[in-house]
Amino acid sequence: MTSSGIPNDASSTSRRRRWWAGRVPAACATLASASAAVTLSLAATPSGALPAAPSRGAVHGVVTGVGEPLRGVRVRLWAGTREGGRQLGQARTDANGTFRIRYAVPAGGVLYVEATSGRRLRLRAVVGVGSGGAVRPRALDRVTVDELTTVAATYALAQFDSGRQVAGPAPGLENAAATSFDLADPATGKAGQTVTGAANGARHETLATLGTLADLVSVCTTAGPRCERLLRLATPRGGAAPADTVQALLALAHHPTLSTTGLYALARAAGVHTPALTAPPEAWLLALRYTDTGLYSPGRIAFDARGNAWATNNWLPGTRNSSPYVSVLDPTGRPTLGSPLRGGGMHGGAWGIAIDHGGSVWAPSYGGNAMTKFSATGTPLSPAAGWKNGGFVRPQGIAVDQRGNLWIANSFGLKGKPGRGSVVVYPHGDPAKAFTLTGSGLNHPFSLQIDGRGRAWITNSHMDFGQILDSRRAGTLGKVGGSVTVIGPDFKTQATINSPSFQGPLGLALDSHGNAWVPSFFNSTVTELRPDGTVAGVHRLPRTVFPWSIAVDGSDRVWVAGFGNSSVSLLCGTNTAACPPGTTTGTVLSPTPGFRHKAIQHLTAVQIDPSGNVWLANNWSRLLPPTGGVGMVQLIGAATPVCTPLTPLPVRPSATADHPCPQQPAPDPAPDPAHPDRYTVHSGDTLSTIADTHGTTWTSLYRTNTRTIGVNPDRILPGQTLTLN
């Protein structure tokens, strides 16, 4: 028996050490000498399936409430996997609040301990992470289960929790579980090293919010009116009342503006944990800022298939000199793949980054007028000066289409003349075959996204970007204008969309139905465009936030990054069932000024990861004089997960399909950029779908290709080459 009253089984600890793989990270250094750790089995075994010869593990620990051991509490060990939740073992705590559970180590997923006392108190702690994500697998054999670990586990796993069990597909599930260690250390039951570290800690309110949420859990350590009040206040509008503390926290993670004043008063009366908030919050958000060497003034974020965050950097730290770095953080905010990466011609990363079907990462070198490319493991693949094929002048947004073609918005820079701009295409990612699209309304193109038909949607800012830098003039520029250009997969312009609502449009995002959402920098509106290019709605943000970037989550909710007031706003999208009762498409779900947090600076990018975390790029920290921003910010568990890389539209990962995410089609030779008037038929094509995609009619297409198709227009064969004109 150790001095803490927790049994010590030296022989079993020694056996379990054989399963350890890799160095103990800094975040776990304090428990390395006192506790062995094991990995969940690595392998190609399907998630949730037992290995052929399952190894044995054990977890032991203590359950506490308001700092005191809880006696007679039922403790269960669960495995959460793609297939669902599965109980691995159970025990009851003794007079010292301690327990021990032996179990068969599962092949993947996550492990968590759950302790219940009475009907209302449910406590949790994550103790294991499998091999399905971008984080190192590990499983602890010693744990403290308390209010802080409960908040950490519930928020981190908020998008994988049914209210009763945790389950979901890789890599999002495993990555989410690992994020809980940033918030709380399950070995000690205290706040984690990331949330207390130099980039977070007293610099902003997350540590205090964590304590206040833990105080809310503590009111249910004894049954009584305060616990019942917690459950009433945590009841979402039109929803069922939470049954216990985990469900109450889950409601706050999903509805962060819920009962902020009443719940704050209840937590303050408990007063168990310090630090804690000293005033009601605007929202029950838990946000962490992640920093790294060279991660400064990040412009754009993209997620690879494992959930790592890749970001371009505008400037070198503390300067306005072009940065040579691309940063890569794992899902817990730690540098990975040798980050920061340099080489390949990177010289001042701009607002663009994309991942191709082979996992390689493309980023524009804004200062070098070139394109850079890195392998999925971080090795530069482009020449020392980058690829300049295409005649770049300040490239910005980029995207990869279904055939593997790379599209690049050639913006013509901060002080280019009105009307300048082009789009450069690298067919199948081959710079040697580059060609340039000009005219057709292209006017300082900035953002570029690909829809489900393979069409490119491009924002045209219609402005001199030098006006953004002179923030004293922002908002007094009069009519700046703007437009959106749609170019088909045959590289022909299908439409140039104009609307009075376009006033300096920068970012653009597509929802799962192919609707385009376009924020306008100078009038703080978001314009919703239907797939046919008509305006479905103009949604005004309640405050002037100078919105720069936009992202759509797996429930089609719309997240808008505010550059001007350092905030992120949330709008209900076309899936109104994912929004509170009574809301409609475009209803603002965030507080009037947006979700604000001291970790958030002036933002140029917002993206959603496979775990449902919202990532934000702190591009500037000060407007006058322009000063680079520090790090990236993660809003934990706040959004519905999406498949990454985008495929190309946002899709929620599935736990039931053969593959959690849609498989990108293999690159194919159609249409051939050298012969853009031709199309090669694929399995599943019809004349109607081909005609719709290429801006013609099926009858016209049939007349042109009668000799190829034959007498039956409903019978086209894969491999046939059709002439489009």
Side-chain angles (χ1 to χ4, degrees):
M1 190 78 75
T2 67
S3 59
S4 63
I6 300 175
N8 185 6
D9 186 340
S11 60
S12 64
T13 297
S14 175
R15 288 192 298 270
R16 285 191 295 277
R17 280 201 179 103
R18 277 183 263 166
W19 293 92
W20 174 257
R23 180 176 56 87
V24 178
C28 296
T30 56
L31 73 121
S33 61
S35 171
V38 298
T39 60
L40 300 180
S41 298
L42 301 183
T45 311
S47 176
L50 288 174
S55 60
R56 303 297 299 179
V59 60
H60 59 136
V62 60
V63 180
T64 68
V66 295
E68 298 296 329
L70 296 181
R71 178 179 182 177
V73 170
R74 184 184 184 189
V75 182
R76 291 181 288 183
L77 176 67
W78 289 88
T81 68
R82 177 180 172 184
E83 288 75 23
R86 181 161 56 95
Q87 183 176 312
L88 301 181
Q90 62 178 317
R92 285 200 177 269
T93 58
D94 60 18
N96 297 312
T98 63
F99 67 92
R100 182 179 181 84
I101 298 173
R102 293 186 178 275
Y103 64 97
V105 178
V110 301
L111 295 179
Y112 63 99
V113 170
E114 196 164 79
T116 54
S117 176
R119 294 187 306 119
R120 302 305 195 194
L121 181 65
R122 183 154 54 125
L123 304 174
R124 272 185 181 169
V126 173
V127 295
V129 180
S131 60
V135 292
R136 178 181 57 77
R138 57 175 165 171
L140 308 181
D141 67 355
R142 177 172 297 183
V143 62
T144 299
V145 187
D146 63 9
E147 296 96 335
L148 283 174
T149 63
T150 303
V151 175
T154 304
Y155 263 73
L157 293 165
Q159 299 299 327
F160 300 91
D161 193 340
S162 67
R164 290 295 179 187
Q165 293 180 351
V166 170
L173 176 64
E174 289 81 358
N175 293 344
T179 303
S180 72
F181 292 88
D182 283 352
L183 295 171
D185 180 351
T188 64
K190 297 180 180 179
Q193 289 192 5
T194 299
V195 74
T196 57
N200 296 283
R203 289 180 176 269
H204 59 71
E205 61 269 36
T206 291
L207 185 58
T209 305
L210 188 67
T212 298
L213 291 169
D215 278 342
L216 289 175
V217 176
S218 73
V219 304
C220 289
T221 51
T222 57
R226 290 196 303 164
C227 183
E228 296 303 319
R229 178 169 171 75
L230 164 64
L231 303 181
R232 286 196 303 272
L233 289 172
T235 302
R237 185 174 64 180
D244 54 40
T245 49
V246 165
Q247 290 187 9
L249 288 174
L250 195 60
L252 300 186
H254 290 164
H255 308 276
T257 59
L258 194 60
S259 303
T260 54
T261 301
L263 288 170
Y264 167 75
L266 185 62
R268 186 176 177 85
V272 176
H273 295 85
T274 57
L277 296 172
T278 57
E282 289 184 341
W284 298 108
L285 287 176
L286 293 180
L288 292 173
R289 181 187 296 173
Y290 298 130
T291 59
D292 183 23
T293 302
L295 176 52
Y296 182 78
S297 193
R300 184 72 160 138
I301 305 168
F303 293 99
D304 63 24
R306 300 184 68 200
N308 293 311
W310 294 68
T312 53
N313 296 291
N314 295 169
W315 301 331
L316 281 169
T319 75
R320 291 182 61 185
N321 298 325
S322 296
S323 172
Y325 297 122
V326 169
S327 296
V328 192
L329 302 184
D330 76 10
T332 65
R334 288 156 179 80
T336 187
L337 304 179
S339 180
L341 311 178
R342 65 183 303 166
M346 176 50 65
H347 182 62
W351 198 87
I353 190 164
I355 299 172
D356 66 23
H357 306 329
S360 296
V361 180
W362 295 81
S365 172
Y366 184 87
N369 291 324
M371 287 299 301
T372 63
K373 183 181 182 182
F374 293 88
S375 74
T377 56
T379 301
L381 300 177
S382 43
W387 282 302
K388 297 180 180 289
N389 312 57
F392 294 116
V393 182
R394 305 303 193 222
Q396 291 276 15
I398 62 176
V400 178
D401 69 17
Q402 290 89 334
R403 292 177 298 276
N405 300 317
L406 181 70
W407 298 66
I408 306 142
N410 199 18
S411 77
F412 274 71
L414 294 171
K415 298 182 179 180
K417 296 179 180 179
R420 303 298 300 275
S422 63
V423 169
V424 176
V425 179
Y426 284 2
H428 311 310
D430 185 352
K433 297 180 180 179
F435 62 92
T436 301
L437 307 176
T438 58
S440 302
L442 294 173
N443 186 336
H444 289 280
F446 190 83
S447 177
L448 198 154
Q449 297 292 326
I450 306 297
D451 70 9
R453 301 179 184 179
R455 301 181 299 176
W457 292 69
I458 304 148
T459 57
N460 297 294
S461 65
H462 284 211
M463 58 181 275
D464 174 347
F465 272 89
Q467 296 172 98
I468 292 180
L469 295 179
D470 188 357
S471 59
R472 291 166 294 183
R473 297 171 59 196
T476 63
L477 296 170
K479 297 295 183 181
V480 174
S483 63
V484 172
T485 297
V486 182
I487 300 178
D490 56 356
F491 310 109
K492 294 182 178 180
T493 299
Q494 294 188 356
T496 295
I497 305 163
N498 294 282
S499 171
S501 61
F502 293 150
Q503 295 296 318
L506 300 178
L508 180 148
L510 298 160
D511 66 21
S512 66
H513 301 286
N515 302 297
W517 295 79
V518 187
S520 286
F521 188 84
F522 288 107
N523 63 6
S524 293
T525 64
V526 177
T527 302
E528 176 193 356
L529 302 175
R530 299 182 183 94
D532 64 4
T534 57
V535 176
V538 178
H539 311 295
R540 183 170 295 279
L541 299 173
R543 289 280 177 86
T544 300
V545 301
F546 299 103
W548 188 298
S549 181
I550 195 164
V552 178
D553 70 16
S555 292
D556 276 333
R557 298 184 304 168
V558 181
W559 296 80
V560 186
F563 180 83
N565 79 333
S566 305
S567 69
V568 59
S569 300
L570 175 62
L571 278 63
C572 182
T574 54
N575 178 18
T576 56
C579 306
T583 55
T584 59
T585 299
T587 297
V588 177
L589 306 179
S590 47
T592 297
F595 290 123
R596 297 184 297 179
H597 197 277
K598 291 179 182 178
I600 298 174
Q601 298 173 341
H602 300 284
L603 304 175
T604 54
V606 53
Q607 289 294 124
I608 315 300
D609 74 11
S611 298
N613 302 309
V614 180
W615 289 68
L616 308 168
N618 280 341
N619 190 248
W620 286 12
S621 60
R622 294 177 60 192
L623 297 179
L624 292 174
T627 306
V630 179
M632 292 190 285
V633 175
Q634 184 188 60
L635 307 183
I636 295 174
T640 306
V642 297
C643 292
T644 59
L646 292 178
T647 57
L649 303 181
V651 177
R652 183 172 189 171
S654 170
T656 57
D658 290 340
H659 298 282
C661 292
Q663 300 297 292
Q664 281 279 14
D668 59 63
D672 184 348
H675 301 282
D677 58 340
R678 298 178 187 176
Y679 178 82
T680 302
V681 176
H682 302 297
S683 176
D685 278 343
T686 67
L687 282 184
S688 293
T689 58
I690 297 170
D692 287 346
T693 299
H694 295 86
T696 185
T697 65
W698 76 266
T699 53
S700 175
L701 195 60
Y702 178 61
R703 281 196 300 269
T704 304
N705 296 278
T706 302
R707 293 185 63 181
T708 300
I709 298 171
V711 296
N712 186 356
D714 292 328
R715 191 171 186 271
I716 58 176
L717 302 176
Q720 289 178 330
T721 299
L722 306 183
T723 300
L724 299 173
N725 297 324

